[in-house]
Amino acid sequence: MNVFVVGNGAREHAICVKLAQNPRITKIFAAPGNAGTAAIAENVEVKSDDIPGLIQAITSRLVHLVVIGPETPLARGLAENLLMRGMEVFGPTSAAAHIEASKAFAKDFMHRHGIPAPSSVTFSNYDDALDYLKSSVFPLVIKADGLSQGKGVIIAENIEQARAALDYIMAQKAFGEAGNSVVIEEFLSGREVSAFAFADAHSTSPVVAACDYKRIFDGNKGPNTGGMGSYSPPEFFTPELGKVVSENIMDPVIRHMHDEHRPYKGILYGGLMLTPQGPKVLEFNARFGDPETQVILPRLETDLLSIMQAISNNQLSRLRIDWSQDACVGVVMASGGYPGKYQTGFPVNGLDDVDCDIMVFHAGTSLDDDGRIVTSGGRVVTVVAKASTLEQAREKVYDNIRRISFKDCYYRKDIALIGQA
Ligand code: AMP
Ligand code: GLY
């Protein structure tokens, strides 16, 4: 079988590595891929948001399965375009991925079906939103409706901050069209966790959980990033909690999406807040998380290709999905300055000096003219260790990460040591 993986992050490298373990797979393509995927796949120079380019690249090759990593091609309808051509695809159609691409839709869907979520109101008119804020109690959370690369969420402590957030999203259009509507949401406090379930149109797999660290600095300080590290399983995520998440969140979503003619197939990712009243949904994503994928896929004992094919055939309930009890810790090495301005093009040293069981998933890397691996993005690699305890995995990852270096490299020192924000 030939598999085509769309995306170029560490998430997609981790997916390629997992798929490459299957002897049924003869060839993997990665579009656009990175220096990591280049070692196990053929990189295809097409950006992951170029839908016509991807369709052309995929249909002109012998491809049996397409795996769509990031949200943008899902929201832009790559899956249905390929399904229409008779292809096997892992990743939901745009109608189903709407649960991520429109927070207003997701909130309305959850309120309609009694799926636990913070209370919220959606506005598409600036003045109405401002009037509402003037009579509100703070803190409140203001969210751009559409995709905004994790940056469209602002916590406002008072009316001044709320007005500034509204201006930024709706008037200045900081996130473009994504800010045509806003969701104004009740602020919840508690522990956050990312919960994942594979899903076909009718059923879901038991939930697997991970924690990610969004802030750039130790102690959960500084600006938000795409994610600076993660670990799985979270020590507090009990099997009972997993059952509650399946029964109250994952299963009803899949059932009602089907009833609303948006059958959901792929992996469903709930960003959850654990409150005294139980887990509540802050957001849904229609894809694997990054950096969570880098710490959950190494724990997956069931063959990933078989899972993807079972989902495609709506046979997921026939498959048992096993996760290892081992713990994984992943630490992201970033270019100095990220998430602000940073320089690239620096050689990455020491990649061969890590222990043989350490996994290094590439994101912002490329090959220079001499075939050397150089930095090409903000988040450069995720270094992952697996061990029988979380503490051992953490020690192992930090022992190894010191052997890898590039100019101005930066990573957090407290992943899996403290709870995330
Ligand atoms: P989201 O993209 O909706 O997951 O939001 C990004 C981050 O904002 C979350 O990971 C939370 O840390 C925070 N957040 C979002 N919604 C809420 C809320 N209702 N209450 C408190 N924090 C929130
Ligand atoms: N870990 C955050 C995300 O994948 O959106």
Side-chain angles (χ1 to χ4, degrees), residues 103 118 141 143 153 155 185-188 192 214 273 282-283:
K103 287 187 191 283
V141 187
K143 300 183 174 184
V153 174
I155 295 171
E185 186 171 289
E186 170 195 6
F187 175 85
L188 297 180
E192 268 187 76
K214 294 196 167 88
M273 187 74 89
L282 299 182
E283 66 163 352

Side-chain angles (χ1 to χ4, degrees), residues 214-249:
K214 294 196 167 88
R215 304 293 186 124
I216 184 75
F217 299 128
D218 283 12
N220 300 320
K221 303 254 163 49
N224 267 326
T225 69
M228 294 303 294
S230 55
Y231 71 92
S232 176
E235 63 288 10
F236 55 84
F237 201 88
T238 60
E240 294 72 40
L241 180 55
K243 228 167 143 245
V244 170
V245 171
S246 289
E247 284 171 8
N248 296 355
I249 297 170

Side-chain angles (χ1 to χ4, degrees), residues 1-8 12-13 15-16 19-20 25-34 37-38 40-46 54 57-68 87:
M1 275 190 75
N2 295 345
V3 182
F4 194 107
V5 177
V6 176
N8 63 343
E12 286 77 17
H13 187 199
I15 292 171
C16 288
L19 289 172
I25 294 182
T26 37
K27 190 165 179 90
I28 301 175
F29 298 100
N34 54 44
T37 62
I40 50 169
E42 180 182 326
N43 285 353
V44 180
E45 244 182 81
V46 188
L54 285 167
I58 292 163
T59 55
S60 63
R61 289 173 169 78
L62 182 62
V63 173
H64 302 97
L65 170 71
V66 180
V67 179
I68 306 173
M87 304 215 50

Side-chain angles (χ1 to χ4, degrees), residues 34 77 81 83 117 121 135 156 162 191 211 235 250 269 345 347 372 374:
N34 54 44
N81 266 290
L83 289 167
V121 198
S135 58
R191 208 159 197 176
C211 287
E235 63 288 10
M250 301 300 188
Y269 161 1
R372 286 181 314 174
V374 295

